[in-house]
Amino acid sequence: MRLQATVVAVACVVLAACTGKAVRTGVAHEMILPEGAERTQVEDKQQFVMAVPYRQPLPAYPAGVTAVAAQLPVCVEFVVGEDGAAHSPRLLEGVPDCVAASQPGITPFVDAALAAVAQWQFFGAGMCT
């Protein structure tokens, strides 16, 4: 049986063109259950394995993205489907330290992050017995 998992990814990128330094990138993953989702009890002899990314291109930020915007983390929510694809990526708002769509000049940065996440591929989550 394959499981669908909701995953939150936080990406933080510093553009070399803006800083004059080497590009630093980082992507963190955290699985969260949507509100109202059914929880499965894991028995002692079982182990849950979270979806693992194997294709994770970073955003291609457009020219003109401000240095400030390039340093802000973007929190993206999406569903890892049975096919391993990232489905329905959307900006996750209201999370401390993450960008908000209302921030001036952030739209091209968010659009690039969402386009990159839409290309991510995962090995599906599963239950080992």
Side-chain angles (χ1 to χ4, degrees), residues 52-57 80 83-86 116-124:
V52 176
Y54 67 87
R55 182 171 183 262
Q56 199 172 28
V80 177
D83 60 356
V117 169
Q119 298 176 52
W120 290 2
Q121 290 287 316
F122 291 78
F123 292 115

Side-chain angles (χ1 to χ4, degrees), residues 21-33:
K21 298 178 184 176
V23 176
R24 294 183 312 150
T25 61
V27 177
H29 301 97
E30 177 184 343
M31 187 173 72
I32 60 170
L33 289 175

Side-chain angles (χ1 to χ4, degrees), residues 1 12 26 41-42 46-47 51 54 56 58 61 67 74 88 98 102-103 113 116 121 128:
M1 178 172 106
C12 196
Q41 190 71 354
V42 178
Q46 296 177 318
Q47 181 178 2
Y54 67 87
Q56 199 172 28
L58 293 172
Y61 297 115
V74 175
S88 307
C98 293
S102 61
Q103 287 181 254
Q121 290 287 316
C128 298

